[in-house]
Amino acid sequence: MTDQPGVVITGVSGRMGQMLVQQVQASAHLKLVGAIEREGHAWVGQDLGTAMGGAAIGVTVSDDPLEAFARAQAVIDFTAPAATVAFAELAAQARAVHVIGTTGLSDDDLTKIKAAARHAVIVRAGNMSLGVNLLTVLTRQVAAALDADYDIEVVEAHHNRKVDSPSGTALMLGEAAAEGRGVHLAEVSDRGRDGITGARKRGDIGFTAIRGGDIIGEHDVIFAGQGERIVLRHIASDRALFARGALKAALWGQDKGPGEYDMIDVLGLKRD
C-alpha cells in the first residue's frame, strides 16, 4: 500500500462524481489520479477542475478507463449498471480496489461482478453510510426476533431524478430482513400494489417508493404487529456522507485479498 493510494473517479460530471472529487481533493489519505466520463462527453479532454467551474487541478478527464485504472490503486464508481460491469473487469485487470455505489444491478450484473472479484478487491454496497449499515444490522436482528405475525414494510424516499426503484438501500434492507427470517427475498418480496390486490400475504416483505423534490434519502423499516409498530429510520441530510463512506472503503480495501466485500465488512460491524 502506498502512503497515498491513487484514486480514479468514474462519472465525474454527475452529482456524486463531483462530490467524490471534492472529498478526495480534501483528503490527506488519498490522491486523485484520474477522472472518467463516457465517450463523447463535453468534459473529455478538459482539466477536471476547469470543467467543474474552478481552477485547474492537473487531472484531465478521459474516456479511456483502462489507461486510468492502470495508474490507480482504487476506483470509485457511482455510475450505471452496464458501465459498472465493464469497469469491474478493467479494475480487476489493474488489481485496483473497486468501490461500487451503483444501484439497479441485475442478477446477471452481480454474477459478472462476482467473477471480477476473484482477481481483485470489490467493495459493493447499496449505501455507503455508517448509519444505513447500522440500520441494516438492526433490521436483520429485529426480523430474527419477531415472527411473521409482524408485517415488514420498507419505505424509501428520494429525489425526483432517481431512475431505479426500489432504491439499492431499500433492497439491502429487505435482504437483511429476509436473512433475519431465514427466507429468500425474491420469494417474499411485494413491490406492486395497485387496484384490488387482496389481503396482504403473511410473511411478505413490502416495498414503497416515494419520489419528489430534492430528497437525498430517507428509509424506514416498519415491523407492524397487532397493537404495535416498531419503526427503524435513517434520514440522510448531506450527500457527502456517501462520498466519505466510499473513501473509507477505498482505503480499507488496500491490504485485503481478492473478494467481494460490503460496508459492513469495512465498518467491522457484526452481522448477527
Side-chain angles (χ1 to χ4, degrees):
M1 177 177 173
T2 62
D3 291 337
Q4 279 189 302
V7 177
V8 172
I9 296 172
T10 64
V12 288
S13 71
R15 285 176 302 163
M16 271 307 301
Q18 294 188 54
M19 179 65 71
L20 287 161
V21 169
Q22 293 166 5
Q23 292 294 316
V24 174
Q25 288 290 86
S27 172
H29 306 292
L30 296 165
K31 61 182 177 182
L32 187 66
V33 298
I36 297 298
E37 258 304 340
R38 64 187 181 277
E39 185 177 356
H41 192 279
W43 285 23
V44 173
Q46 294 190 47
D47 182 276
L48 177 58
T50 303
M52 290 176 60
I57 61 173
V59 174
T60 301
V61 180
S62 171
D63 58 7
D64 184 356
L66 181 59
E67 185 277 333
F69 293 1
R71 296 183 282 105
Q73 285 73 53
V75 175
I76 303 181
D77 176 19
F78 285 69
T79 55
T84 290
V85 169
F87 291 148
E89 295 174 359
L90 298 177
Q93 289 179 36
R95 301 299 187 265
V97 174
H98 188 189
V99 178
I100 299 175
T102 302
T103 58
L105 295 160
S106 69
D107 289 343
D108 184 56
D109 295 332
L110 295 176
T111 297
K112 292 174 180 175
I113 289 169
K114 187 177 292 293
R118 293 199 295 264
H119 307 287
V121 174
I122 292 179
V123 181
R124 182 181 63 83
N127 193 298
M128 296 285 175
S129 84
L130 170 61
V132 161
N133 283 278
L134 285 170
L135 179 61
T136 301
V137 173
L138 292 172
T139 296
R140 186 180 296 109
Q141 292 175 339
V142 174
L146 302 175
D147 62 22
D149 287 339
Y150 286 79
D151 298 320
I152 301 176
E153 288 285 318
V154 181
V155 182
E156 54 101 341
H158 285 87
H159 54 85
N160 57 19
R161 292 172 302 282
K162 186 169 179 62
V163 298
D164 58 313
S165 174
S167 69
T169 302
L171 292 173
M172 185 169 72
L173 293 168
E175 288 282 3
E179 288 173 12
R181 284 201 168 161
V183 297
H184 295 292
L185 180 61
E187 298 173 359
V188 297
S189 178
D190 181 4
R191 305 189 195 180
R193 298 184 187 133
D194 185 23
I196 307 301
T197 60
R200 180 192 176 104
K201 182 180 177 182
R202 188 175 190 271
D204 275 359
I205 297 174
F207 291 86
T208 299
I210 298 167
R211 296 289 177 266
D214 61 355
I215 302 170
I216 292 175
E218 300 180 5
H219 294 84
D220 289 355
V221 185
I222 303 169
F223 296 84
Q226 296 299 312
E228 66 177 353
R229 291 191 303 276
I230 301 164
V231 181
L232 305 178
R233 169 172 289 183
H234 180 270
I235 297 175
S237 58
D238 182 358
R239 190 169 278 103
L241 72 92
F242 307 124
R244 290 193 292 267
L247 268 61
K248 185 179 182 72
L251 281 167
W252 177 88
Q254 292 301 308
D255 60 356
K256 302 302 183 293
E260 189 172 8
Y261 304 90
D262 59 23
M263 285 301 290
I264 292 177
D265 297 314
V266 173
L267 298 168
L269 299 174
K270 293 183 178 180
R271 297 178 183 273
D272 299 321

